[in-house]
Amino acid sequence: MANMPYSSRARAVLIDLDGTMVDSAPDIVEASNRMLSELGAPTLSPAVVASFIGNGVPVLVQRLLAASPDLPRIDEAAARAMFFRHYHDTNGRFSRLFPGVIQGLAALQHAGFRLGCVTNKPIAYTEPLLQAFGLDRYMQAVIGGDSIPQMKPDPTPLIHACTQLGVAREQGVMVGDSHVDVAAAKAASMTSYIVRYGYPGPGGVAALHADVFIDSLAEMPALLDSAAARAFRAGCGRSDDTADTAPGSDRNTDF
């Protein structure tokens, strides 16, 4: 575990969607292979398609086409439109929640943390997926891949989410599953918490240089609480300052 200079004063938890809260790979695999079949290309294995997830649909489609070298040259914009047409039908149909997600979100909310979803998935597909699994009731901010011009690994979506949640960027932490989450958190001066499942990309979880690795979102309340306690014991703040900023304190009742 790396040093965690920011999570000791966390007031907001930003959470990725695909591979972190929802195992949406089956939806994406189905839409991807429908697109490839329509183009006359062989379908790809779920593992191959899952390795392409996490950088947004344009990169996903680029990788799908690159993995099908026998295809005639095709306009990527047309391929993306084809993918979206199929994904409209598959979004949420084959996916499932990862274990511990609802438990973790409920505990974080109860503790007074502000919660936001920051994903590279387009907002038109993000919101229905959150609603399908009852995740939307926990989120006070939702930033999709096209909500603003920038996407992860750019830090701007994380900073934008913090602004919507009414906290400084230093008071946010990022929970995700891939290198884009780690890079975005680092660029935004936030602690990165990475799940050991999900879609980490080439090299797997071992290739990710996150601050903290977790097995379940349900671990987050205790981790953040212990980080705050360690900071207090180390003399990082007076008890009255800690009471002002700790989630669940009287100062947070208007969140």
Side-chain angles (χ1 to χ4, degrees):
M1 183 181 300
N3 293 329
M4 294 182 289
Y6 306 108
S7 59
S8 63
R9 55 181 180 270
R11 295 173 66 183
V13 181
L14 311 180
I15 311 167
D16 177 52
L17 181 56
D18 298 314
T20 302
M21 291 192 286
V22 178
D23 183 8
S24 56
D27 298 340
I28 298 170
V29 169
E30 180 67 20
S32 297
N33 281 329
R34 288 185 188 183
M35 182 199 79
L36 292 173
S37 294
E38 186 172 344
L39 292 171
T43 59
L44 299 173
S45 72
V48 169
V49 177
S51 72
F52 299 159
I53 297 173
N55 294 273
V57 172
V59 174
L60 170 66
V61 171
Q62 288 172 6
R63 291 175 174 174
L64 291 170
L65 297 178
S68 308
D70 294 333
L71 275 177
R73 184 172 179 82
I74 181 171
D75 179 68
E76 288 186 7
R80 285 197 300 273
M82 193 179 298
F83 171 84
F84 279 128
R85 175 161 48 81
H86 291 300
Y87 192 46
H88 178 78
D89 293 330
T90 65
N91 188 30
R93 287 185 58 190
F94 306 100
S95 53
R96 66 179 180 89
L97 276 181
F98 285 110
V101 169
I102 294 296
Q103 178 186 352
L105 293 177
L108 287 167
Q109 186 181 70
H110 180 74
F113 289 98
R114 290 189 167 191
L115 304 179
C117 176
V118 182
T119 174
N120 282 345
K121 183 190 291 292
I123 196 69
Y125 299 90
T126 295
E127 291 177 336
L129 192 59
L130 290 171
Q131 293 163 7
F133 289 100
L135 303 176
D136 57 312
R137 67 179 182 268
Y138 298 103
M139 300 300 159
Q140 294 170 277
V142 178
I143 310 299
D146 54 357
S147 295
I148 59 175
Q150 302 84 4
M151 292 195 303
K152 298 177 297 183
D154 191 291
T156 308
L158 280 62
I159 297 168
H160 185 62
C162 285
T163 299
Q164 289 196 354
L165 293 171
V167 303
R169 72 165 82 180
E170 295 84 2
Q171 296 173 312
V173 301
M174 180 70 207
V175 184
D177 70 311
S178 72
H179 70 95
V180 299
D181 299 308
V182 175
K186 182 177 181 180
S189 299
M190 296 181 189
T191 300
S192 58
Y193 292 80
I194 295 297
V195 298
R196 291 190 176 92
Y197 53 83
Y199 320 133
V205 173
L208 304 180
H209 301 288
D211 294 306
V212 186
F213 291 94
I214 60 175
D215 293 311
S216 168
L217 199 61
E219 297 174 31
M220 287 301 298
L223 285 171
L224 293 174
D225 182 64
S226 63
R230 285 195 303 272
F232 176 74
R233 288 196 299 269
C236 292
R238 301 191 312 274
S239 58
D240 55 339
D241 291 336
T242 302
D244 285 345
T245 59
S249 69
D250 291 341
R251 282 286 296 273
N252 290 341
T253 55
D254 62 339
F255 283 1

